[in-house]
Amino acid sequence: MDDVVAMAAAAVVQRMALDGWSAVRDRFAAFLSRRSGASEDTVGAELDTSRAELTAAREAGDEEAAGELESAWRGRFRRAVRDDAAAQEELAVLVRRFTAEQTAVNGGDVHNTINGGTYQGPVIQAGSVGRIRLDGRP
């Protein structure tokens, strides 16, 4: 149970900063509202408040905010699935769905291999490369 709860909290907080937030918010708000007695609108508003807090914290350079929000939502999810195997499975399905969507957006894992040949300098393989200097200067 703890793994699914932690993955759900991480998925929600990570998706707060990405496109498609409203779909994530709506699905998780519906899930939580069915188990807490709060309305979907109330839970959705709480999720949106967390998103606004995360955005403001990142703009202010607060690197700990995401972890704090993740911890808070982990508690919410833990309470929602406690002693309820069906809720645990439903949460696992939601996590798999949004994790799979994010993997598709990011392109999944990439594994590169170099073999054979002679190389006269460094070989760099990357999805995104910023400023690189190979001459030792900053």
Side-chain angles (χ1 to χ4, degrees), residues 7 29 86 94:
M7 289 174 25
L94 279 174

Side-chain angles (χ1 to χ4, degrees), residues 26-113:
D26 292 349
R27 294 296 298 266
F28 282 100
F31 171 82
L32 288 168
S33 72
R34 286 192 299 276
R35 281 148 187 86
S36 69
S39 71
E40 284 186 41
D41 289 340
T42 299
V43 177
E46 292 169 349
L47 285 161
D48 285 336
T49 298
S50 290
R51 183 183 195 211
E53 290 171 3
L54 179 64
T55 300
R58 285 188 173 160
E59 289 173 358
D62 182 353
E63 299 298 322
E64 296 177 13
E68 292 168 358
L69 285 170
E70 198 171 306
S71 179
W73 285 104
R74 191 169 40 249
R76 291 282 299 266
F77 288 121
R78 185 177 296 113
R79 288 186 298 277
V81 301
R82 187 178 295 142
D83 302 323
D84 185 345
Q88 292 172 22
E89 180 56 30
E90 183 181 351
L91 184 59
V93 168
L94 279 174
V95 168
R96 284 192 300 270
R97 175 182 176 202
F98 288 110
T99 302
E101 285 179 9
Q102 190 58 41
T103 300
V105 168
N106 289 340
D109 294 334
V110 175
H111 303 278
N112 297 315
T113 303

